[in-house]
Amino acid sequence: MHDPRVLLDPATDAVRKLARRGFSLDVASLEKLLATRNSAIQRGDEARAESKRVATAVKGAAPEERAALVTRARDLKGVVSAAEEEHRAAEAELQDLLLGIPNLPADELPDGASDEDAELVRTWGERPELDFTPLDHVDLGEKLGILDLPRATKLAGPRFAVLRGKGAALERAIARYLLDLHTQRHGYTEFSVPTLVNRVTMTGTGQLPKFEQDLFKTGVGDRELYLIPTAEVPLTNLHAKETLELEQLPLAYTAHTPCFRSEAGSYGKDTRGLIRLHEFSKVELVRIVDAERSRDELEVLLGHAEAAMQGLGLAYRVVKLAAGDIGFSAEFTYDIEVWLPGQDAYREISSVSDFGTFQARRAGIRTKAKDGRRGFAATLNGSGLPIGRTLVAVLEQGQQADGSVRLPEALVPYAGFEVLEPA
C-alpha cells in the first residue's frame, strides 16, 4: 500500500510508473479524498481546541454568560462529531482506493506486459541431449505408475492430482531436500504455519481485496477464512503490527505448505498434469529486511532459489520480468524457468520478488534503529521450490530411452532409490 502523499508527489512519477504496468492512477479522486480527510481532521482539531477553551471559560463565567457558553459547547460537540464521521468516511474511501493501487514497478524492468517481453539474465546447465522423442511428465508418470489423474478427478474434479508409490515418495523427498538445503545451508528458520488465514492477513500481503476471485474461501461459524495461495501470506504476516529492531534484520523464514489457487481465467492453459493445479505444495522463502538493502537482498534470495536448482542438476534460465507482468505487490521480479524436454520449452518454476515497503505498509511491519530512526521494513519472497513443478522437471530431464527416470544424486538419500522403472 502507498502513502497517498508520496503518490501525489511529482518526484515519485507515480502516474508514469503505474502506466507501465497498465494501471491508470485516478489522481483527481486521490487528491479529493485526501483533501476531504485532511479538512475533516483540521475542523475536528479546531473544534476540540475551542471546546476546551469554552469549558475553561464556563467555570469562571458570570451567570448571564454561562448559558451562551453552554450552548456553544453543545454546538462544538456536534461539530466534532460531524468532523469525525466525515473523517471516518473519507478515510475508509481513501483506504479502499489505495488498496487497489499496485506497487510501482522498478525503472530497470523492461517494458511490456507478457512473458515474451522478459529480459534474459543468464542460463545454467546443459539441456539434456536425448536421442529419442521425449515424453511429457503426464505420459511419463502414467507409464511409471506413479501419477493417477483420473482418480484425482473422481475425488475432487479437474486440476487435482494423485501421486502413488514412488511418486509420493519422490514428492516427499523433494520437500525434505529443499527444507534441509534452505535451513542448513542458507540459514532460514523453518515454520509450521496455518493454511487457513483471515481477511486481514490476506490483505496484508496484497491478495485482498483485488484477487478474492482467485482464492478459496471458507469459514467456521461466523469466522471468514481463506486457504492460503502460498506460505508467503502467513510467514510475512507473522510480524504484522510489530516494530522490529533494524539491527536484527534480515529475517529469513521458510515453510513447506499446501497451496490453494482457483486459477480463475487460466482454463485451457497448462491444465494437463501437475503444472497448474488447484492444490499443490511448495517450499516458500521469505525475507524481511532493511528497506535500504532490499535490492541486494533480492540477489541473495535469487541465489538461494538457484542453488536449489543447481543442487538438482536441472538446466534453467533466469529472466527479468517486464513491468506489466509482475505481481500486484511486486516492484521487481525474477523468474527461474526450467527446461522441460517433453514440452520443448522453458517453463516458470520459481518467482523471486522484491516488494519494497509495499506489503509492510499494508501489514504494519515497522522498523526502529538504535539511533531512533523509524520506518517500514521491506519484504521479499520466492519459491524455493514448488514440489510439483520440481517433480515435473526431475521426470522430464531425467528420462531415459528405456522409459525409466534417473533421479538427481541429491535426491537419492531422501528417496531411497536411484531410478524409477516403468510399471
Side-chain angles (χ1 to χ4, degrees), residues 392-407:
V392 168
V394 167
L395 292 180
E396 294 202 14
Q397 289 201 27
Q399 62 183 299
Q400 308 295 307
D402 62 0
S404 66
V405 171
R406 184 164 296 280
L407 300 191

Side-chain angles (χ1 to χ4, degrees), residues 224-301:
E224 179 185 57
L225 295 169
Y226 295 85
L227 288 161
I228 61 170
T230 165
E232 166 203 346
V233 177
L235 287 176
T236 303
N237 280 281
L238 286 172
H239 294 291
K241 304 298 187 292
E242 294 182 14
T243 298
L244 306 174
E245 298 295 330
L246 194 62
E247 291 73 20
Q248 294 178 344
L249 302 181
L251 301 177
Y253 297 160
T254 187
H256 172 224
T257 67
C259 305
F260 305 88
R261 299 182 186 180
S262 72
E263 298 287 2
S266 66
Y267 291 95
K269 179 183 180 183
D270 296 334
T271 57
R272 186 172 186 261
L274 304 178
I275 297 293
R276 197 178 294 273
L277 297 174
H278 290 313
E279 179 182 356
F280 59 98
S281 66
K282 181 154 62 90
V283 171
E284 188 75 356
L285 305 176
V286 166
R287 297 180 73 83
I288 301 175
V289 308
D290 181 347
E292 295 183 359
R293 288 191 44 79
S294 69
R295 200 52 50 81
D296 292 334
E297 289 284 350
L298 179 65
E299 299 300 324
V300 172
L301 180 57

Side-chain angles (χ1 to χ4, degrees), residues 168-237:
L170 179 56
E171 182 181 48
R172 175 162 41 90
I174 292 171
R176 291 176 57 207
Y177 157 75
L178 293 170
L179 287 171
D180 283 354
L181 173 71
H182 295 310
T183 56
Q184 296 174 16
R185 189 191 302 178
H186 299 150
Y188 287 79
T189 300
E190 183 181 356
F191 282 81
S192 175
V193 291
T195 53
L196 283 167
V197 298
N198 58 32
R199 174 172 285 270
V200 172
T201 300
M202 281 290 192
T203 302
T205 41
Q207 280 74 26
L208 289 177
K210 186 173 178 60
F211 300 105
E212 188 153 5
Q213 74 279 3
D214 293 327
L215 304 172
F216 284 102
K217 181 178 178 180
T218 184
V220 179
D222 59 353
R223 293 166 60 194
E224 179 185 57
L225 295 169
Y226 295 85
L227 288 161
I228 61 170
T230 165
E232 166 203 346
V233 177
L235 287 176
T236 303
N237 280 281

